[in-house]
Amino acid sequence: MITGESLIGGVAVQGNGSDFKAWNPGLNSHIEPSFRTADADQIDQACRLAGAAFDTFRATSDAQRASFLETVAEQIVAIGDELIVRAMAETGLPRARLEGERGRTVNQLKLFADLLREGSYRDVRIDTPLPERTPPRPDLRYRLIGVGPVAVFGASNFPLAFSVAGGDTASAFAAGCPVVLKAHPAHPGTSELVGRAVVKAVELAGLPAGTFALLTGVGNDIGQQLVAHPEIQAVGFTGSRFGGLALMAVAAARPQPIPVYAEMSSINPLFLLPGALKARGAEIAQQFAGSLTLGVGQFCTNPGLVLGIAGPDFDAFAHAAAAALGGIAASPMLTAGIASAYQQGVAALAGQQSVKTLALAAPEVGKGGAALFVTSADAFLAEKVLHGEVFGPASLLVACRDVAEMRRVTDHLEGQLTATLQLEESDLDAAETLLPALERKVGRILANGFPTGVEVSTAMVHGGPFPATSDGRSTSVGTGAILRFLRPVCYQNLPQRLLPAALRDGNPLDIWRRRDGVLGKE
């Protein structure tokens, strides 16, 4: 156990004596704090420091914030192998996975740095005055600014890329918003190592200490107090539907309600269209088994539902997939709680009269073994219990009579992060039948691939209609993620001296702007 004392905003504080502790940018780098649960005073102080830091942080130039993000990336790399070793010990994830995730974490920080330097994220719009019009049009100038301090919740299944310096933190920083982060209790040491790297970057950039704070602890009270704090202006969350809904309720009950951007639940339907099933059924089965069990199925894009047309080709796919899954050994899951919930979910599916078990690994304490089930479209439509997410390497096959029934099943699905079409040229008519429903239901539509693996890029959408996320207009991956933490401000007839540089005549920042409806750089 790491021991010692932490400093928050330069003032020594102690936790309440349980297993975790809060700490913050005032932390002395040579002190190793014990993991204790943050108390109410520490949460309040972290949020107040974030509020005090906001105007200074958002006033930094795009170039300064870009440099800061790159410094965070450099400091994470500088931790070296200690970070990987600690994360392996806390999560059971293999070295290669964690090294790849570290690379993704660093790259998404750099991606947002590039976005800041390019500048179009501000969405600048200028309507020049029309004094001779009746009535006259004033000078109007529009830009996006940060919303204020953001509460971010680290995810259990991505200890680096969706955690302390993950995409939510990176996009909030890029928007000019301080971050108060609640670390996930499944990997406290990993969180602290990355948190110290962020703290160091804050210091090197000369930013206020309240630009970043890390709170550790167990239980729901920390998160609820954090979201309820009046200084917090938005929330980024990745986790269970139960947890996301609880935070949404707290945010909505505030005197000033705030948005919660929560990624919560998805079963990511995979459509096996007839031509693809006939031409590549055995190959797709092997690839499906690999995708389903990747990371012990602990991805939000896990293919938990497979739809195909009943018949010999679908039966052959089911047999091949079950055989492939039977050869994959059970592996440790991230936490004992996740493993227990997975086994309960699998047992519940296996116990449904309308469901047939095709593959089911013997339960092992702390481990997740593959499970595959099949049911009819009629049963799936009639039994809402079959629509729920089982977080882990489990999937349900649904045998449909025809493409029209596939469409009916799609229409009854909840919102999803992804949908995948396995298709050949002969399947394009069927795909066109499904596509309008998929566009309504999901955030990302794939062809001839598998949903596990989310590219960090400008065009990526990692979101979807409720309950995949709390706000289907948002993404938590890619440069579009910054929009969650920005809001528009219009400046009417302000003197040039009072205008932000991005809005001034002459375009001093040399960024793309829309002037009288025409996009350009003037």
Side-chain angles (χ1 to χ4, degrees):
M1 178 68 69
I2 298 175
T3 60
E5 178 181 82
S6 69
L7 302 178
I8 185 166
V11 180
V13 294
Q14 294 290 341
N16 64 10
S18 58
D19 293 332
F20 298 85
K21 190 169 189 176
W23 65 286
N24 182 273
L27 180 66
N28 288 340
S29 59
H30 66 279
I31 293 176
E32 295 281 3
S34 59
F35 301 128
R36 299 181 182 175
T37 297
D39 60 31
D41 289 341
Q42 292 172 320
I43 298 167
D44 175 65
Q45 191 171 7
C47 293
R48 286 189 292 105
L49 285 167
F54 175 48
D55 281 342
T56 299
F57 185 41
R58 77 181 182 91
T60 56
S61 69
D62 288 342
Q64 288 173 316
R65 289 203 303 285
S67 178
F68 167 58
L69 290 171
E70 289 168 341
T71 303
V72 174
E74 291 166 1
Q75 293 301 313
I76 291 172
V77 172
I79 301 170
D81 203 48
E82 180 184 2
L83 177 61
I84 302 302
V85 171
R86 184 66 188 227
M88 289 169 63
E90 290 184 323
T91 66
L93 294 173
R95 173 178 287 274
R97 153 71 191 275
L98 290 166
E99 288 177 342
E101 193 177 325
R102 177 175 59 186
R104 170 177 170 163
T105 304
V106 167
N107 288 337
Q108 63 193 5
L109 287 162
K110 293 179 179 178
L111 181 69
F112 281 106
D114 292 341
L115 176 71
L116 291 173
R117 290 195 173 96
E118 185 267 339
S120 65
Y121 80 94
R122 293 178 179 273
D123 193 19
V124 171
R125 310 178 195 184
I126 298 173
D127 293 330
T128 55
L130 298 174
E132 298 177 356
R133 195 192 70 178
T134 303
R137 185 175 79 183
D139 182 271
L140 299 169
R141 306 191 181 214
Y142 167 114
R143 70 162 180 164
L144 299 176
I145 68 168
V147 297
V150 175
V152 173
F153 289 76
S156 65
N157 57 337
F158 283 90
L160 300 175
F162 278 84
S163 192
V164 176
D168 288 345
T169 297
S171 54
F173 280 162
C177 299
V179 169
V180 181
L181 189 135
K182 168 61 176 68
H184 198 283
H187 37 78
T190 304
S191 298
E192 178 168 336
L193 287 170
V194 178
R196 287 176 180 271
V198 180
V199 167
K200 183 64 175 178
V202 169
E203 294 171 348
L204 291 172
L207 296 171
T211 302
F212 174 76
L214 175 66
L215 303 175
T216 58
V218 294
N220 298 326
D221 290 348
I222 297 174
Q224 292 174 351
Q225 292 174 41
L226 180 57
V227 173
H229 198 283
E231 293 287 357
I232 298 299
Q233 297 301 301
V235 178
F237 171 85
T238 300
S240 69
R241 188 188 306 199
F242 175 82
L245 291 176
L247 296 181
M248 290 169 63
V250 173
R254 289 172 35 139
Q256 174 220 359
I258 60 172
V260 175
Y261 298 101
E263 181 203 315
M264 298 179 290
S265 178
S266 185
I267 54 176
N268 307 297
L270 171 66
F271 294 82
L272 303 173
L273 298 182
L277 199 55
K278 181 176 290 293
R280 299 183 282 113
E283 176 187 349
I284 295 171
Q286 290 291 329
Q287 295 170 340
F288 162 73
S291 177
L292 182 65
T293 57
L294 185 67
V296 203
Q298 296 166 116
F299 290 109
C300 45
T301 52
N302 191 44
L305 183 70
V306 180
L307 291 86
I309 295 176
D313 292 335
F314 187 73
D315 292 342
F317 169 85
H319 178 78
L325 291 171
I328 299 174
S331 297
M333 301 192 82
L334 290 162
T335 69
I338 289 174
S340 177
Y342 172 68
Q343 291 170 5
Q344 291 174 23
V346 165
L349 271 179
Q352 296 294 318
Q353 288 188 348
S354 61
V355 171
K356 178 182 177 182
T357 300
L358 299 177
L360 182 58
E364 298 182 55
V365 175
K367 291 186 176 183
L372 186 64
F373 306 94
V374 65
T375 192
S376 68
D378 286 339
F380 187 84
L381 290 168
E383 300 174 31
K384 196 69 174 176
V385 67
L386 301 182
H387 297 213
E389 180 186 27
V390 178
F391 188 67
S395 191
L396 176 65
L397 310 185
V398 177
C400 302
R401 295 183 183 88
D402 49 29
V403 172
E405 191 163 60
M406 275 188 173
R407 172 65 187 255
R408 284 195 294 276
V409 171
T410 304
D411 285 334
H412 283 80
L413 292 176
E414 296 180 317
Q416 307 292 332
L417 293 172
T418 75
T420 302
L421 297 166
Q422 290 289 343
L423 53 79
E424 296 289 311
E425 187 73 20
S426 61
D427 295 317
L428 293 181
D429 287 346
E432 285 183 340
T433 298
L434 295 170
L435 196 57
L438 297 181
E439 289 173 335
R440 286 189 283 105
K441 293 291 184 177
V442 313
R444 177 165 59 109
I445 303 169
L446 301 79
N448 294 337
F450 289 88
T452 43
V454 180
E455 181 71 22
V456 179
S457 68
T458 58
M460 177 52 64
V461 171
H462 189 62
F466 184 88
T469 66
S470 55
D471 188 335
R473 298 167 296 177
S474 66
T475 176
S476 61
V477 177
T479 53
I482 194 174
L483 298 175
R484 299 172 297 169
F485 307 127
L486 295 169
R487 67 175 182 86
V489 176
C490 179
Y491 303 79
Q492 181 171 329
N493 288 337
L494 263 67
Q496 287 288 309
R497 178 179 169 182
L498 297 182
L499 286 172
L503 300 182
R504 291 177 186 167
D505 288 346
N507 194 9
L509 299 184
D510 191 34
I511 60 176
W512 289 93
R513 310 194 299 184
R514 193 171 296 279
R515 186 180 183 91
D516 292 330
V518 179
L519 185 64
K521 289 193 174 183
E522 302 124 72

